[in-house]
Amino acid sequence: MQKELFEYVLRIGDNALILGQRLGEWCGHGPVLEEDIALTNISLDLIGQARSFLTYAGEVEGLGRDEDKLAFFRDARDFRNILLLEQPNGDFGDTIARSFLYDHFAYLLFESLLHSNVTNIAAIAAKSIKEVTYHRRHSSEWVIRLGDGTAESHDRIQTSINNLWEYTGEMFNADTIDHVVASLGAGTDPSSLYASWKKNVAAVLLEATLEMPADDWMQKGGKQGVHSEHIGFLLAEMQHIPRTYPDAQW
Amino acid sequence: MVSDPSDVFKLLTTVKDPEIPVLNVVDMGVIRRVEIVNDIIEIDITPTYSGCPAMDVIAANVRTTLEREFSNQVKIASVMFPPWTTDWLTDDARAKLMAYGISPPEKNTADKSLLFGHREAVVCPKCQSKNTERISEFGSTACKAHYRCVDCKEPFDHFKCI
Ligand SMILES: [Zn+2]
């Protein structure tokens, strides 16, 4: 049970960490000042969530690894984030589309984790859902603004959503770890979130005059540590300072 | 050596929030518990936002302030639950924010489960007009959004309701 719980918490923490790192890459590159600030604010929230989840994961594991050890001293194969979140930022629309698809999932996940019988998980979820509420609104408003905007913005955000769609299936793929943790009341079976997610996403897409892509082949593997080539570059940037100067202190 | 937690609380009102120096840490509602157990001052602090970079500074300032005044040992813990809410800002804190030029958060956190739930009118701290518009949900710090007043044209920060 401890092993499954560790993996389960690690996945949630890694999702927040990897998306937080990606959004942080926008710092100084936002299309307008307000969005530069928004994306980095959201990044900060996500890294805060990652710190809480990774700290707790380290406690569950019981091998003395803290948040920093887990964030900076694991290799790609040991990361458990879903593939969607490691996809490169692309243009602003690609970034918004990626966040949009994830934010709607994260909101439902944390809402359900409020009822976890593990106090720590419920507490971090209660904190995180307040932040994700804002993130979800931000990304959804942009999907609507771009979709229902000019012909150019409409086509581009539609393309972004189409391109990322094959990564959405992984969010709801339950494996043994999900089943074990859910059966104990500690976590949620992600497949139970799918219907609500689809309904909520569809409502925004409709308002945005966008089409929901058809479900086709879905990518998977990130949750089990099988990643796309993109994560190596991301980790190199994120980890190189602590690896060059291990034990460095502020 | 201090033995009355209310003396500790009183001293903590001199510790300012590093990002909003018009408020102290008690006004902010981030001090969740102060107890003195076997002469050790035990304090629980809760973060406003998960990634709020001010938390480490606040903890350090709380410690130095107490250690300067009292000879007790100080133990600071960070607690996550119940999560911080803007409802914990005191009326006094709201008045101070308004005077400082930051529009305070609406009282009692509304149900925000609706995606685009109804938002209460945000008051301009300059002219008190409710004819204001949001520029960005995300402002200069994690806890603030960016607004502008349609009447007096003043751009201002709004303390987000969470
Ligand atoms: Zn005004």
Side-chain angles (χ1 to χ4, degrees):
Chain A
M1 155 67 182
Q2 288 305 96
K3 192 179 166 300
E4 283 86 0
L5 187 61
F6 167 69
E7 285 281 329
Y8 185 80
V9 176
L10 196 59
R11 287 172 175 180
I12 306 173
D14 280 350
N15 280 346
L17 178 65
I18 297 301
L19 183 57
Q21 174 69 16
R22 277 288 185 229
L23 293 181
E25 291 171 15
W26 276 100
C27 188
H29 301 280
V32 290
L33 181 61
E34 285 77 12
E35 283 313 303
D36 199 288
I37 293 169
L39 294 173
T40 46
N41 257 259
I42 295 168
S43 166
L44 201 56
D45 286 342
L46 290 167
I47 288 168
Q49 292 168 17
R51 291 184 61 182
S52 299
F53 280 111
L54 293 184
T55 298
Y56 178 57
E59 288 168 17
V60 171
E61 187 191 35
L63 297 177
R65 290 203 281 183
D66 63 5
E67 47 176 311
D68 287 343
K69 274 274 175 322
L70 286 169
F72 298 126
F73 294 90
R74 276 182 300 152
D75 293 328
R77 199 68 178 78
D78 298 319
F79 272 80
R80 296 290 183 259
N81 60 284
I82 51 173
L83 299 174
L84 171 69
L85 304 177
E86 70 201 43
Q87 297 311 303
N89 282 341
D91 63 21
F92 180 69
D94 295 328
T95 288
I96 289 298
R98 185 185 58 201
S99 282
F100 166 67
L101 298 169
Y102 170 74
D103 293 344
H104 277 269
F105 166 75
Y107 182 89
L108 295 169
L109 175 65
F110 291 138
E111 186 179 54
S112 122
L113 290 180
L114 296 175
H115 309 292
S116 167
N117 59 14
V118 177
T119 317
N120 266 311
I121 293 180
I124 307 171
K127 184 87 211 153
S128 305
I129 197 168
K130 286 170 174 268
E131 296 157 359
V132 170
T133 302
Y134 275 101
H135 305 169
R136 187 179 70 152
R137 191 153 70 200
H138 174 258
S139 57
S140 298
E141 284 182 353
W142 269 109
V143 166
I144 293 168
R145 202 198 280 195
L146 294 170
D148 195 17
T150 65
E152 168 86 9
S153 70
H154 176 276
D155 290 351
R156 286 177 67 174
I157 190 74
Q158 181 73 64
T159 305
S160 305
I161 288 177
N162 294 350
N163 289 343
L164 292 170
W165 199 254
E166 63 179 342
Y167 296 105
T168 56
E170 191 184 6
M171 295 191 276
F172 308 102
N173 255 334
D175 64 4
T176 323
I177 287 163
D178 293 310
H179 289 139
V180 169
V181 175
S183 70
L184 294 165
T188 301
D189 178 340
S191 61
S192 69
L193 306 174
Y194 178 66
S196 300
W197 177 85
K198 193 157 187 181
K199 188 174 126 250
N200 296 346
V201 164
V204 174
L205 291 178
L206 182 70
E207 199 178 337
T209 72
L210 294 168
E211 280 182 29
M212 179 177 272
D215 288 337
D216 203 336
W217 164 256
M218 290 289 178
Q219 301 283 353
K220 57 175 192 252
K223 282 170 72 169
Q224 290 80 24
V226 183
H227 291 276
S228 61
E229 69 275 25
H230 305 297
I231 200 173
F233 297 95
L234 181 151
L235 294 182
E237 181 163 333
M238 185 178 86
Q239 297 181 332
H240 98 269
I241 294 283
R243 289 203 182 206
T244 311
Y245 306 96
D247 306 324
Q249 298 281 326
W250 282 106
Chain B
M1 193 77 81
V2 62
S3 57
D4 184 354
S6 66
D7 291 336
V8 176
F9 254 109
K10 215 171 135 199
L11 184 62
L12 288 179
T13 60
T14 65
V15 180
K16 305 290 177 206
D17 180 283
E19 285 176 342
I20 309 168
V22 71
L23 296 184
N24 65 58
V25 293
V26 177
D27 291 331
M28 286 287 289
V30 299
I31 307 290
R32 301 313 301 160
R33 183 180 70 97
V34 174
E35 275 183 275
I36 299 174
V37 182
N38 298 330
D39 291 339
I40 299 173
I41 304 175
E42 295 184 359
I43 295 183
D44 287 348
I45 298 184
T46 194
T48 52
Y49 282 75
S50 301
C52 180
M55 291 317 296
D56 291 342
V57 182
I58 289 176
N61 290 351
V62 164
R63 179 179 294 285
T64 32
T65 304
L66 293 176
E67 284 176 350
R68 200 164 43 218
E69 196 71 23
F70 307 124
S71 57
N72 308 56
Q73 197 187 329
V74 178
K75 258 194 195 156
I76 300 175
S78 172
V79 294
M80 196 63 101
F81 197 85
W84 183 82
T85 158
T86 36
D87 293 346
W88 293 346
L89 286 170
T90 58
D91 284 338
D92 192 33
R94 285 163 201 276
K96 284 187 203 168
L97 280 173
M98 192 61 115
Y100 188 61
I102 299 174
S103 184
E106 300 82 53
K107 257 204 175 160
N108 58 59
T109 322
D111 175 21
K112 288 201 283 307
S113 57
L114 285 170
L115 186 49
F116 304 114
H118 165 76
R119 240 187 295 254
E120 273 198 45
V122 169
V123 178
C124 168
K126 194 92 177 169
C127 75
Q128 320 304 318
S129 165
K130 283 190 172 176
N131 189 13
T132 58
E133 61 187 12
R134 197 186 72 198
I135 298 171
S136 174
E137 192 95 86
F138 300 88
S140 56
T141 63
C143 55
K144 285 178 268 162
H146 204 192
Y147 273 72
R148 99 181 117 217
C149 177
V150 177
D151 288 337
C152 78
K153 314 293 182 209
E154 181 80 0
F156 63 91
D157 275 337
H158 168 54
F159 207 108
K160 277 195 280 198
C161 183
I162 68 165

